[in-house]
Amino acid sequence: MRDLTDLAEEYDFLDADERYRLLIELGRDLPPMPDALKTDATLVRGCSASVWVYPTLENGALNFLADSNAAITKGIIALVLCAVEGKPAAQVADMDIAAALEPFDLKNQLSSNRTQGVPNMIALIKAHAARIAQG
């Protein structure tokens, strides 16, 4: 996963079309998510496209597998994951992920149809993290 601060700096210099391309590239860089993990429990509700997020824990660090059936939405979930990947589950559960994403100004950069599911993506990630942190 790319560093969120580095991504924000790069994103700031790009025009709208290049920003879309960057998000799509982020989505393409996600590791493949096995179809068996695309279940009702991993589905993000309220997104215009289907999005799945599955948590894993490696050496105390929280990581995620994610996928979407839409390229730009897959890029958005990849961007969200850049904010939380590799952190302890308790830290992710308490983190203000929306604030970490503010430099990307997604609400003004993308259509409301594209961004309406972001709070739900964040909520599912935080719920997974809280559950894992509690053991």
Side-chain angles (χ1 to χ4, degrees):
M1 280 272 139
R2 294 182 58 186
D3 179 72
L4 196 62
T5 303
D6 291 344
L7 271 172
E9 288 176 12
E10 180 180 349
Y11 193 84
D12 194 41
F13 286 103
L14 301 175
D15 67 28
D17 287 343
E18 292 169 326
R19 288 176 175 180
Y20 268 100
R21 282 196 276 294
L22 177 64
L23 288 173
I24 290 169
E25 180 184 310
L26 284 174
R28 284 187 186 136
D29 290 344
L30 284 175
M33 181 179 191
D35 287 340
L37 297 177
K38 296 175 186 175
T39 66
D40 196 52
T42 62
L43 181 67
V44 177
R45 307 270 184 242
C47 291
S48 59
S50 296
V51 181
W52 300 270
V53 178
Y54 181 82
T56 64
L57 192 63
E58 297 172 25
N59 299 322
L62 193 58
N63 295 293
F64 291 89
L65 293 173
D67 199 3
S68 176
N69 62 351
I72 194 69
T73 306
K74 189 172 181 176
I76 293 168
I77 189 61
L79 180 65
V80 173
L81 294 180
C82 284
V84 300
E85 282 282 306
K87 293 179 173 42
Q91 182 180 348
V92 173
D94 293 337
M95 185 178 177
D96 187 347
I97 299 169
L101 297 175
E102 282 178 3
F104 297 91
D105 195 23
L106 294 177
K107 287 188 178 185
N108 290 320
Q109 300 297 322
L110 304 170
S111 69
S112 61
N113 197 34
R114 299 269 191 227
T115 59
Q116 71 183 9
V118 174
N120 297 355
M121 292 176 192
I122 292 170
L124 184 60
I125 288 167
K126 288 175 70 74
H128 284 312
R131 181 180 46 78
I132 290 169
Q134 292 174 352

